[in-house]
Amino acid sequence: MFPNPLPNAARTMDSRQFDGDDDVTGLLEEWSRGNDAAFDALVSVVYDNLCRIAHRHLIGERADHTLDTQALVHESYLHLAGKPGKGWRNRAQFFAVASKAMRRLLVDHARRRKAEKRGGDATRVTWSGDFGATDADVEEVLALDDALERLGERDQRLLQVVECRFFGGMTVPETANALDISSRSVERDWARARTYLYQAIGPRKAEPQG
Amino acid sequence: MKPNGDDRWKEIDEVFAAALDRPRGERSEFVREVTGGDVDLAGEVMDLLLAHDEAESYVEGSGSQLIARLCRDLSLTDRLPSPELEGELLGPWRLVRRIARGGMGSVYLAERADSRFEQQVAVKVLRRGLDTEDIVARFVAERRILASLDHPNIARLLDGGETPDGRPYLVMEYVEGDPLTTYADERRLGLEDRLTLFAAVCDAVQHAHRHLVIHRDLKPSNVLVAASGEVKLLDFGIAKLLDPDDPESPAGPTRTGVRLMTPRYASPEQVSGEVVTTASDVYQLGLLLHELLVGRSPVADPLSRGQLERQIREEEPVPPSRAVDEETAARYRTPLARLRRRLQGDLDQVVLMALRKEPDRRYASVEALARDIERHQKGLPVRAAPDSARYRIGKFMRRNRLQVTATLAAIILTTGYGVTVTVQGQRIATERDRAALEAARANQVTGFMVNLFQGANPDQTGGREITAAQLLDLGARRAGAELSNQPEVHAALLSAIGQSYAALGRFGDARPLLEEAISTGGLGDPTRHVRDLAQLADVVFKSDMAAGLDLYRQALQHAEERLGSLHPVTGRVLAQYGEALSLGADSVQRSILLRDSAVAVLRRDPEAQEDLAFALAVSSYGRPTSEAIPKMREALDLRRRLYGERHSAVAASLNDLALGLEPVDPLAADSLMSEAIVILKEILGPEHASTLRSLNSLAALRRGRGAFAEAEPIYAEVIRIRRAVYPAQRVLLAYGLYGMGLVLVGLERPLEGETHLREALGILEEELPANSFLLSLNRAAIGHALMTQGRHAEAEAFLLPAVTTLENGDVQPLDLAQNYERLILLYEAWGRPGRAAVFRTRLRELAEAKGLVQYQNPSR
């Protein structure tokens, strides 16, 4: 449904192959030298980590199927990056990666719920975070993901800004820091990206032709 | 996202991004400009801008939570102050409660935590998420500036520091008080007390200037008065140090200052982004004084940012004595007339001098302004002087190279320089000489007329009655033959017959006679010559506006040169010329100036009551109802006294008054207009241009209040006569078609309506300049007709660009409101509630700003 840049192995729930500290440090170096594939690989590391935590949260502790994205990212951060000597430049850098992973997680979660189709609320995805709980229709989440994918094809940076702000819950200065652009640019990109997404999935998406 | 090639998308995105960088009010205009003729591109970007606004105003809970979350301005969550600072300690200060929340941060009431002595202070904390470098720098600058100032009328800086999360804060003297103007009005202060308060403000600003600080944001809410009557100047947030070493100080305009200023209180140089000096504070003090004296700002509520800026840069403020009204007087507890007298002269001059557009022509310093206030209070004459006539003439000449001489008359009268005695003296002398000549000539004309009437004797006409018109035709034919040896009498007669033809609406017959009369150069009767020129201008103007205006210009020039600026005939020409100019889109200001001077000239002459009535009538055009109606009533009363009830001039006044009353009392307007039409049909005939005009107006009145069925036959009559009798006056025909089109739409015959509207548009596009707002109104109406046929996309293509143009032009708020309403209806019918919401917001804002009561009902 959307292009998946990751090797399949990286997406298995129990994969541990990138969990090693050396891998992360090496990938971070690669990334800082401009290797985009390294970024993707980092995302998959964080994604795996997030999935494991989420799995535990959803199966073990929470009955309401609500993903607490903030808690997930925070826990993942402590696990992967919070300790000294892990090579992450700062929290924002980690969050940029985690935001992308979080988007993937939410979308996969939505897909699974759609496939399960159990019970009345199975077609909804709920997650909470900095901005309170969001209860979204599964189809909507998938439509947003689609729109994001197309946006990313046109302008990679708009996509990154949305991921950081929307999925990662990062503030403007944090996003600016992570993407190495000015706060003003983040604000402008956000306004544009939001407009495009709104146009794509907003209330008027099904426009009757006059 | 619509399916577009990526290159196309990039193009759209680029324009969209650039548009977002413009102030909201300028965006659509900007898009129009940069996209040139690429309507598709403009449309795509306009869609994006609408989606942007819509997303911004997306109401949570109204639909999808996902979209709500997407639309919520996430940056807002960055900006929330750290959970709550209330109760927190900053240094020795405990924050008690938040008292204000502004653009840059919050202000808290605080007190000393050690409470060894009771001291209340205000603590200003920068907003979280705003701690970008330039804003922090500005905050620090405010601190530096306040630290350098020590004056009893300036709120003092006591302390400062950084919050635990690194945001800077200021601790200032806590002032409990009311804004200057509120304080004065609530206590019903008299003029003296107000001036004393103002003097204290001047003193504080002077102090700042002596310490090289310009405040740049003086306005009532920044000047508080404590219960004790003590004045405190606040908020040096955008103040600027006049530091000679400051790189931005000498040449570079401070763009930050421009962006942060309060638009309504901005000085002309702030608006234009020019260098801001202490003169800017002088200007803002002028505004403050004006508002303190009058009760409201001389800067009217604008429709758009562009309009506001134009107003600030170009429009001369009304002097306080003319701006005050009963409401103001009540706040002073002084009779209005007495208040006016007190303000007239000195205080008017002081305010106007402070408010001059050019910084170097204001008071040279706040001190000079304060001294004048003091002189006035001591009963000494002020130093402020009105603009010299020489300056104003020069300025006017620069602005309009045309009819400068006419303005001379206006200037002499409006600035109260009095009468040029010589002009009058000359007039009396020539008048005397002329009397003898005229007597002789009158005898000759009488003789001719006697002949003419003998020619109309039933014995000679075979018993048929002869009409006045036929008599004129007869006269026109015979005049050439019988009076060729008496050129002066001949010219007088040509003139008289030409004028009569014009009065009968037979313009084609009038024109050659008037031209012939004019070709004699007046022959010793300059008054008649000028009248003929003006009459010819009037006749020509009806079919060729530009040529008509040119003739008016000549008429005015002759009047000025040969009769003098204060001659009543000159006044008459001024009024006619002003009336003609009032129909042009860009000459309204000039037109009002001419018409006002006409009234002034004609009031001086008790013999000129007819012309005065005319001047009063035309001087009401294009003015707000409250100003226009008294003029119209005066004109109507004058005319009824002069002519009785059955006269075309009375009908004209009834017509005008009906139009003026329409917004206030539509049914009274209808009956006045009907009354006018009865008179006009009887006196001028059913096909006369004036009759048609009033018929068209009656139809429009009825259309306006929704009485479509009653309007339709009248429009039909108007259109039929216009097509048959006045095919050359295409614009007037278009007005009729436009009205008929809307009526048909109202009668649920939209297809017929559309046909009429499209014909009107075709004519207007050929006849009017491309930027005329009438074109936009017409296009919007077509959009409306399309909407009622369910052709939504086509309707939008007409309505949306028209509304954008209207938003950016000088247009009646009611017209704009009506078209907002049409857009809302369109989007609702189309199933696009988001877009409807965008325009509902704009409509509400417009209605509130302009007091359009009929649109303020929130359910609409």
Side-chain angles (χ1 to χ4, degrees):
Chain A
M1 191 163 180
F2 64 96
N4 175 16
L6 299 177
N8 278 337
R11 306 196 61 205
T12 50
M13 290 289 277
D14 59 353
S15 163
R16 284 159 193 273
Q17 66 211 57
F18 292 106
D19 208 320
D21 292 353
D22 291 346
D23 281 338
V24 170
T25 312
L27 287 168
L28 280 165
E29 269 169 29
E30 287 278 302
W31 182 26
S32 66
R33 281 202 292 274
N35 184 348
D36 285 346
F39 177 74
D40 291 337
L42 278 169
V43 171
S44 61
V45 171
V46 178
Y47 175 85
D48 286 348
N49 190 266
L50 285 175
C51 282
R52 270 199 310 281
I53 303 166
H55 191 69
R56 205 175 65 234
H57 280 217
L58 288 173
I59 305 291
E61 294 163 17
R62 307 192 65 129
D64 58 357
H65 299 285
T66 297
L67 284 166
D68 187 337
T69 53
Q70 197 182 13
L72 287 179
V73 173
H74 188 68
E75 209 175 316
S76 178
Y77 175 70
L78 288 179
H79 186 209
L80 287 180
K83 297 163 201 152
K86 293 271 176 162
W88 293 90
R89 197 170 66 233
N90 52 35
R91 186 172 170 274
Q93 196 191 19
F94 172 82
F95 263 58
V97 175
S99 301
K100 197 171 203 64
M102 182 55 72
R103 169 185 160 207
R104 202 157 289 158
L105 182 101
L106 271 172
V107 171
D108 283 355
H109 183 59
R111 275 215 190 92
R112 263 199 314 280
R113 306 238 12 165
K114 192 182 168 189
E116 286 165 7
K117 278 208 175 141
R118 285 186 322 219
D121 67 338
T123 52
R124 303 193 72 76
V125 188
T126 311
W127 74 95
S128 63
D130 272 0
F131 315 108
T134 303
D135 173 35
D137 190 271
V138 159
E139 298 293 346
E140 254 181 358
V141 175
L142 299 180
L144 174 66
D145 188 58
D146 252 12
L148 271 171
E149 207 53 47
R150 264 177 292 153
L151 184 64
E153 282 162 20
R154 286 169 161 168
D155 190 329
Q156 193 60 34
R157 202 174 83 188
L158 292 189
L159 171 68
Q160 287 178 321
V161 168
V162 175
E163 284 176 340
C164 288
R165 309 270 292 118
F166 191 73
F167 295 100
M170 296 166 73
T171 66
V172 169
E174 279 167 351
T175 308
N177 194 0
L179 301 179
D180 203 18
I181 52 179
S182 70
S183 290
R184 178 87 189 97
S185 297
V186 173
E187 280 172 7
R188 285 157 138 165
D189 288 351
W190 172 248
R192 271 158 68 217
R194 185 178 65 177
T195 304
Y196 288 122
L197 296 174
Y198 183 83
Q199 230 189 16
I201 64 163
R204 292 183 293 102
K205 60 182 167 181
E207 288 181 355
Q209 289 306 306
Chain B
M1 278 160 279
K2 308 231 166 101
N4 282 302
D6 271 7
D7 287 348
R8 184 59 168 175
W9 183 82
K10 284 210 163 58
E11 206 180 338
I12 294 168
D13 183 56
E14 204 173 297
V15 178
F16 174 51
L20 284 182
D21 280 344
R22 320 284 298 191
R24 196 172 296 267
E26 294 169 14
R27 285 178 187 163
S28 39
E29 200 182 331
F30 170 79
V31 172
R32 248 202 340 277
E33 266 172 34
V34 289
T35 53
D38 191 342
V39 182
D40 273 356
L41 178 58
E44 294 281 355
V45 178
M46 283 307 295
D47 267 355
L48 283 171
L49 286 172
L50 279 169
H52 172 268
D53 290 359
E54 224 176 88
E56 220 171 44
S57 56
Y58 190 88
V59 186
E60 274 183 63
S62 66
S64 148
Q65 281 194 23
L66 181 80
I67 293 162
R69 202 185 125 174
L70 184 69
C71 291
R72 205 176 325 159
D73 188 4
L74 294 180
S75 60
L76 279 182
T77 54
D78 300 348
R79 289 177 187 166
L80 287 177
S82 46
E84 251 321 317
L85 285 175
E86 283 173 17
E88 296 281 313
L89 266 182
L90 290 179
W93 310 103
R94 181 179 304 284
L95 306 188
V96 178
R97 63 183 160 88
R98 179 155 59 208
I99 48 182
R101 198 162 173 174
M104 281 175 70
S106 295
V107 181
Y108 293 85
L109 173 67
E111 56 196 17
R112 273 199 91 94
D114 45 23
S115 69
R116 269 177 312 198
F117 48 95
E118 242 177 71
Q119 187 181 9
Q120 288 199 318
V121 295
V123 177
K124 189 170 171 181
V125 188
L126 189 64
R127 208 160 64 173
R128 224 178 96 189
L130 266 189
D131 37 2
T132 57
E133 270 173 47
D134 58 325
I135 294 180
V136 171
R138 200 172 317 119
F139 211 75
V140 171
E142 181 178 3
R143 187 169 159 186
R144 191 157 55 113
I145 283 168
L146 279 175
S148 70
L149 301 176
D150 179 19
H151 188 274
N153 298 124
I154 296 177
R156 266 186 316 139
L157 176 76
L158 303 169
D159 194 1
E162 267 191 10
T163 60
D165 59 352
R167 288 175 290 151
Y169 67 83
L170 302 177
V171 181
M172 286 172 299
E173 183 181 358
Y174 174 63
V175 183
E176 204 171 1
D178 291 321
L180 179 67
T181 43
T182 314
Y183 178 90
D185 287 341
E186 275 180 2
R187 283 168 181 71
R188 302 242 190 285
L189 292 190
L191 192 59
E192 284 312 313
D193 291 336
R194 285 170 196 252
L195 291 176
T196 306
L197 280 177
F198 182 73
V201 183
C202 287
D203 209 46
V205 178
Q206 251 182 81
H207 175 83
H209 286 184
R210 271 200 295 273
H211 289 80
L212 303 176
V213 173
I214 316 173
H215 190 285
R216 299 202 293 190
D217 199 18
L218 295 167
K219 57 183 175 184
S221 60
N222 279 342
V223 181
L224 295 191
V225 188
S228 62
E230 197 180 27
V231 173
K232 290 282 185 189
L233 189 52
L234 308 178
D235 202 353
F236 283 72
I238 67 164
K240 190 171 82 109
L241 273 176
L242 266 183
D243 184 347
D245 298 329
D246 185 345
E248 71 167 14
S249 175
T254 57
R255 291 193 54 85
T256 9
V258 175
R259 198 152 42 89
L260 289 173
M261 72 203 178
T262 312
R264 245 182 104 143
Y265 290 92
S267 64
E269 60 271 24
Q270 277 174 314
V271 165
S272 334
E274 284 158 28
V275 182
V276 169
T277 65
T278 51
S280 207
D281 281 356
V282 170
Y283 175 89
Q284 290 183 334
L285 283 171
L287 282 184
L288 200 61
L289 179 56
H290 190 291
E291 195 164 336
L292 188 60
L293 295 177
V294 175
R296 61 180 173 273
S297 166
V299 180
D301 282 325
L303 247 180
S304 68
R305 180 72 175 250
Q307 249 176 23
L308 175 68
E309 296 189 355
R310 204 161 44 242
Q311 194 187 147
I312 292 173
R313 278 199 312 265
E314 288 165 22
E315 276 177 33
E316 298 297 337
V318 178
S321 68
R322 277 201 274 142
V324 289
D325 52 21
E326 289 294 349
E327 208 187 318
T328 322
R331 279 195 292 258
Y332 276 87
R333 287 202 205 148
T334 303
L336 178 59
R338 201 163 109 206
L339 179 59
R340 282 226 160 98
R341 275 199 306 278
R342 288 286 328 267
L343 296 174
Q344 237 159 33
D346 283 1
L347 286 174
D348 276 353
Q349 290 315 329
V350 169
V351 170
L352 293 182
M353 180 141 171
L355 287 180
R356 283 182 184 168
K357 305 294 179 201
E358 305 87 341
D360 54 352
R361 297 188 56 257
R362 296 178 199 139
Y363 284 102
S365 64
V366 177
E367 205 176 343
L369 166 61
R371 255 204 316 270
D372 250 4
I373 300 282
E374 199 187 323
R375 290 178 67 86
H376 174 76
Q377 285 183 301
K378 285 181 180 161
L380 297 170
V382 298
R383 302 286 159 112
D387 280 332
S388 68
R390 191 196 164 98
Y391 167 79
R392 290 179 64 142
I393 291 164
K395 185 171 166 187
F396 192 83
M397 281 177 74
R398 279 191 299 279
R399 274 208 207 143
N400 326 267
R401 260 166 278 152
L402 310 173
Q403 85 281 2
V404 166
T405 39
T407 322
L408 202 58
I411 288 159
I412 289 167
L413 290 155
T414 52
T415 55
Y417 275 124
V419 193
T420 36
V421 181
T422 42
V423 173
Q424 263 210 330
Q426 273 168 6
R427 205 180 122 210
I428 292 165
T430 42
E431 209 77 56
R432 218 178 291 127
D433 296 343
R434 209 187 296 139
L437 260 174
E438 294 229 320
R441 209 178 293 143
N443 282 334
Q444 289 171 315
V445 176
T446 316
F448 178 81
M449 292 306 277
V450 169
N451 277 334
L452 213 53
F453 278 110
Q454 279 174 348
N457 186 309
D459 292 336
Q460 296 177 20
T461 55
R464 283 175 293 121
E465 266 194 54
I466 192 164
T467 64
Q470 286 169 320
L471 201 60
L472 281 175
D473 295 342
L474 198 60
R477 275 204 305 279
R478 281 202 202 162
E482 293 179 19
L483 294 167
S484 54
N485 59 340
Q486 302 191 52
E488 287 186 20
V489 181
H490 185 209
L493 211 67
L494 288 171
S495 162
I497 298 173
Q499 301 263 5
S500 302
Y501 274 141
L504 288 172
R506 288 171 57 183
F507 304 119
D509 292 324
R511 190 165 174 170
L513 295 179
L514 290 169
E515 279 169 348
E516 197 181 338
I518 288 164
S519 70
T520 64
L523 284 175
D525 188 347
T527 310
R528 195 190 68 226
H529 185 59
V530 169
R531 277 190 192 281
D532 288 347
L533 269 170
Q535 184 66 65
L536 181 65
D538 182 44
V539 166
V540 171
F541 184 77
K542 287 181 178 19
S543 56
D544 181 348
M545 289 197 180
L549 288 178
D550 207 54
L551 281 165
Y552 272 125
R553 213 150 32 230
Q554 284 182 38
L556 188 54
Q557 202 182 339
H558 276 273
E560 300 269 340
E561 281 169 10
R562 300 177 66 177
L563 308 175
S565 299
L566 300 174
H567 192 283
V569 172
T570 307
R572 165 87 195 186
V573 176
L574 280 168
Q576 283 182 290
Y577 190 12
E579 181 195 22
L581 276 175
S582 74
L583 299 171
D586 54 341
S587 45
V588 175
Q589 276 314 106
R590 260 191 287 157
S591 156
I592 287 181
L593 184 61
L594 290 177
R595 290 180 274 149
D596 282 353
S597 39
V599 171
V601 167
L602 294 166
R603 272 202 203 284
R604 299 162 30 79
D605 193 335
E607 301 294 309
Q609 298 239 335
E610 285 189 62
D611 288 338
L612 174 59
F614 172 75
L616 278 167
V618 299
S619 80
S620 63
Y621 297 168
R623 293 210 144 123
T625 311
S626 57
E627 279 177 38
I629 287 181
K631 289 180 195 292
M632 293 168 179
R633 287 203 193 279
E634 189 182 349
L636 179 61
D637 290 348
L638 258 177
R639 284 175 168 171
R640 279 188 163 140
R641 256 204 323 274
L642 284 163
Y643 315 117
E645 198 59 46
R646 291 186 42 218
H647 191 280
S648 63
V650 172
S653 272
L654 286 166
N655 174 85
D656 294 349
L657 189 57
L659 292 180
L661 278 175
E662 185 193 1
V664 213
D665 188 349
L667 288 176
D670 193 305
S671 80
L672 285 173
M673 191 62 84
S674 304
E675 204 182 320
I677 290 170
V678 170
I679 299 174
L680 288 169
K681 280 190 169 164
E682 197 178 316
I683 293 173
L684 301 176
E687 296 182 353
H688 190 275
S690 300
T691 313
L692 280 184
R693 196 180 62 177
S694 290
L695 277 171
N696 196 74
S697 301
L698 180 62
L701 287 176
R702 290 180 176 175
R703 171 168 66 80
R705 60 169 210 268
F708 298 124
E710 295 164 52
E712 189 199 352
I714 301 181
Y715 272 126
E717 183 182 351
V718 170
I719 293 170
R720 181 181 54 75
I721 298 174
R722 285 218 187 282
R723 284 197 208 275
V725 187
Y726 305 98
Q729 296 173 30
R730 304 182 67 217
V731 175
L732 295 176
L733 173 62
Y735 291 167
L737 290 166
Y738 170 78
M740 182 63 146
L742 287 173
V743 161
L744 290 168
V745 174
L747 289 171
E748 290 170 10
R749 286 146 64 189
L751 212 58
E752 284 173 75
E754 187 194 337
T755 312
H756 281 82
L757 291 168
R758 287 198 191 259
E759 187 185 349
L761 182 63
I763 294 174
L764 294 180
E765 277 175 346
E766 282 172 31
E767 299 284 331
L768 298 181
N771 61 355
S772 168
F773 77 98
L774 291 170
L775 290 175
S776 296
L777 285 184
N778 202 144
R779 291 198 183 106
I782 293 178
H784 179 57
L786 290 166
M787 181 200 78
T788 51
Q789 299 171 52
R791 289 150 70 186
H792 298 140
E794 286 171 83
E796 186 190 39
F798 272 96
L799 262 174
L800 199 54
V803 163
T804 306
T805 314
L806 292 175
E807 279 177 334
N808 290 300
D810 286 318
V811 58
Q812 297 280 331
L814 217 55
D815 285 332
L816 186 54
Q818 190 195 19
N819 283 307
Y820 278 152
E821 207 178 27
R822 285 174 175 163
L823 267 179
I824 294 167
L825 288 172
L826 167 65
Y827 287 131
E828 276 172 353
W830 201 357
R832 296 178 164 189
R835 284 196 187 195
V838 170
F839 289 100
R840 205 174 285 114
T841 309
R842 290 197 202 167
L843 175 61
R844 197 184 53 238
E845 284 167 6
L846 174 75
E848 277 163 11
K850 293 290 165 186
L852 304 176
V853 187
Q854 64 271 51
Y855 287 102
Q856 279 177 358
N857 182 352
S859 71
R860 295 179 73 132

